[in-house]
Amino acid sequence: LILLDIMMPDIDGYEVCKILKENPETKDIPIIFITVKTSEEDVKKGFEVGAVDYVAKPFNPIELLARVETHLELRSYQLFLEDKVERQVNANRLKDQLLFQSSKQASIGELLVHIAHQWKQPLSELGSINVKRIGKLDLGQEISKDELLETSIKTEQILKFMSNTIDTFQNFFKPDEQETFFDVHNAINQACAIVDATFDYHHITLNINRSQAVKIYGNENEYAQVILNILNNAKDNFINRSIQDPTVTIDIEEEDGRSKTTISDNGGGIEEDILEYIFMPFSGSKESLGIGLYMCQSILEKNSGSITAKNSEDSAIFTIVL
């Protein structure tokens, strides 16, 4: 703590106080002015330049010591709170890192499921081609040049499709910090391309409605991953509840210069006891990790957007605004 006079040679106390407050190493040190300048204007100026207290000369030593002790105690509390806040921020940062890591591991699991569904039919076709070839050889039948060429071309096409599938998944899940203007519909199509085979396997109908092209500024890859997460939740819900004729509908529109994407399904809605807390970490249903929607909210908030959820009859409705 600094006790500072105002009337001094060469440079007065006001200027000294300003210099101290402009220096990062000294700006937080409490300053008490002790001076004969006690007019209302002088006192006001003292507080404006950064003093915490103002003591008039001649002063009572007991009163001055009491004020010094008070401000030292206040400074001590301030340092304690700053340290506590910093430790809490670091703890929250670590918690978020752990949550993101758990989310990433869950995403890898989902990725493997989707690849399995994407490759199921191509692998079956490759198997059929080989069985046909082996069957002819076992029966002593010749395989013509044209037939061999046809099956080779077909095999090459299938392998190319499988390779493209890997490229699609790699591009989708790779980190991308770039923010640009992008078409919402294109981002949603990226997510749908990932779940397409999985939805087809579980006979889930996916409808996308849009009245016009809607472009927004943000991270396209992250936006698509939010959509994917919601679609995966809907798929899991359909399976867990054995929903008949499962359907997901995505509506894209523009409202007051913002994009509004609404995703609804006929899966029976969200459990009422978790609806209010659905975007908090570890608050999902019994079947989920409870971190996906928390990640969705974090991603959208980082991109200056928002996500809300509600029930309507037998539907869960998620609304994304960006």
Side-chain angles (χ1 to χ4, degrees), residues 47-64:
F47 285 122
E48 285 177 348
V49 295
V52 296
D53 209 341
Y54 205 97
V55 178
K57 290 182 180 178
F59 58 84
N60 182 319
I62 296 175
E63 179 188 357
L64 177 60

Side-chain angles (χ1 to χ4, degrees), residues 222-264:
E222 291 183 345
Y223 186 90
Q225 290 191 35
V226 169
I227 302 298
L228 175 64
N229 195 288
I230 297 173
L231 294 178
N232 277 332
N233 284 351
K235 179 257 298 178
D236 292 341
N237 192 47
F238 289 144
I239 295 171
N240 292 330
R241 296 181 177 179
S242 302
I243 300 297
Q244 298 297 313
D245 301 319
T247 303
V248 176
T249 301
I250 302 176
D251 294 298
I252 308 167
E253 57 185 324
E254 185 175 342
E255 244 182 38
D256 301 325
R258 299 175 180 177
S259 77
K260 181 181 177 183
T261 301
T262 305
I263 305 175
S264 58

Side-chain angles (χ1 to χ4, degrees), residues 98-262:
L98 292 172
L99 286 171
F100 274 104
Q101 186 62 30
S102 298
S103 179
K104 187 176 180 181
Q105 290 172 349
S107 296
I108 291 172
E110 285 287 351
L111 173 62
L112 293 174
V113 169
H114 292 311
I115 289 178
H117 285 307
Q118 291 277 23
W119 280 12
K120 190 180 179 81
Q121 183 60 31
L123 287 172
S124 177
E125 289 183 42
L126 286 175
S128 297
I129 290 171
N130 284 332
V131 166
K132 188 175 181 181
R133 284 177 179 175
I134 293 170
K136 281 194 170 186
L137 291 173
D138 287 343
L139 293 173
Q141 299 177 4
E142 289 188 1
I143 301 175
S144 67
K145 183 179 178 181
D146 289 342
E147 185 179 356
L148 184 61
L149 180 62
E150 181 183 347
T151 55
S152 295
I153 292 173
K154 180 67 174 174
T155 300
E156 185 179 351
Q157 289 174 342
I158 293 171
L159 291 174
K160 186 177 180 180
F161 169 80
M162 295 172 73
S163 177
N164 288 340
T165 299
I166 291 296
D167 290 339
T168 299
F169 280 82
Q170 282 182 334
N171 291 334
F172 187 86
F173 283 96
K174 73 179 180 182
D176 182 11
E177 298 298 327
Q178 185 177 7
E179 292 188 347
T180 57
F181 282 99
F182 65 90
D183 190 317
V184 174
H185 190 249
N186 290 341
I188 290 174
N189 280 340
Q190 286 184 45
C192 292
I194 300 295
V195 301
D196 183 54
T198 312
F199 271 40
D200 184 63
Y201 179 82
H202 292 290
H203 308 292
I204 300 170
T205 302
L206 179 59
N207 301 316
I208 302 177
N209 306 314
R210 71 164 181 169
S211 56
Q212 63 187 85
V214 179
K215 286 198 171 185
I216 52 177
Y217 187 80
N219 189 303
E220 182 174 8
N221 184 277
E222 291 183 345
Y223 186 90
Q225 290 191 35
V226 169
I227 302 298
L228 175 64
N229 195 288
I230 297 173
L231 294 178
N232 277 332
N233 284 351
K235 179 257 298 178
D236 292 341
N237 192 47
F238 289 144
I239 295 171
N240 292 330
R241 296 181 177 179
S242 302
I243 300 297
Q244 298 297 313
D245 301 319
T247 303
V248 176
T249 301
I250 302 176
D251 294 298
I252 308 167
E253 57 185 324
E254 185 175 342
E255 244 182 38
D256 301 325
R258 299 175 180 177
S259 77
K260 181 181 177 183
T261 301
T262 305

Side-chain angles (χ1 to χ4, degrees), residues 1 30 52-53 67-81:
L1 181 140
V52 296
D53 209 341
R67 293 196 184 195
V68 167
E69 288 180 4
T70 297
H71 286 292
L72 286 176
E73 192 172 353
L74 287 172
R75 178 62 181 147
S76 178
Y77 286 141
Q78 183 184 1
L79 289 170
F80 171 75
L81 289 173

Side-chain angles (χ1 to χ4, degrees), residues 258-321:
R258 299 175 180 177
S259 77
K260 181 181 177 183
T261 301
T262 305
I263 305 175
S264 58
D265 63 60
N266 62 340
I270 304 162
E271 296 100 316
E272 289 295 334
D273 59 334
I274 68 167
L275 181 57
E276 184 179 353
Y277 312 102
I278 199 165
F279 296 109
M280 295 179 67
F282 305 117
S283 60
S285 63
K286 294 177 182 177
E287 296 82 10
S288 76
L289 289 173
I291 55 178
L293 291 174
Y294 172 72
M295 294 296 104
C296 289
Q297 185 181 56
S298 298
I299 288 171
L300 289 167
E301 286 179 351
K302 190 184 80 171
N303 285 274
S304 302
S306 65
I307 180 170
T308 57
K310 66 178 182 179
N311 287 327
S312 177
E313 297 180 359
D314 66 341
S315 300
I317 302 175
F318 289 91
T319 302
I320 300 168
V321 177

Side-chain angles (χ1 to χ4, degrees), residues 28-64:
D28 294 322
I29 298 175
I31 295 174
I32 298 177
F33 277 126
I34 301 182
T35 180
V36 295
K37 295 172 71 68
T38 57
S39 70
E40 185 177 333
E41 191 63 31
D42 292 328
V43 174
K44 179 183 177 185
K45 187 174 181 181
F47 285 122
E48 285 177 348
V49 295
V52 296
D53 209 341
Y54 205 97
V55 178
K57 290 182 180 178
F59 58 84
N60 182 319
I62 296 175
E63 179 188 357
L64 177 60

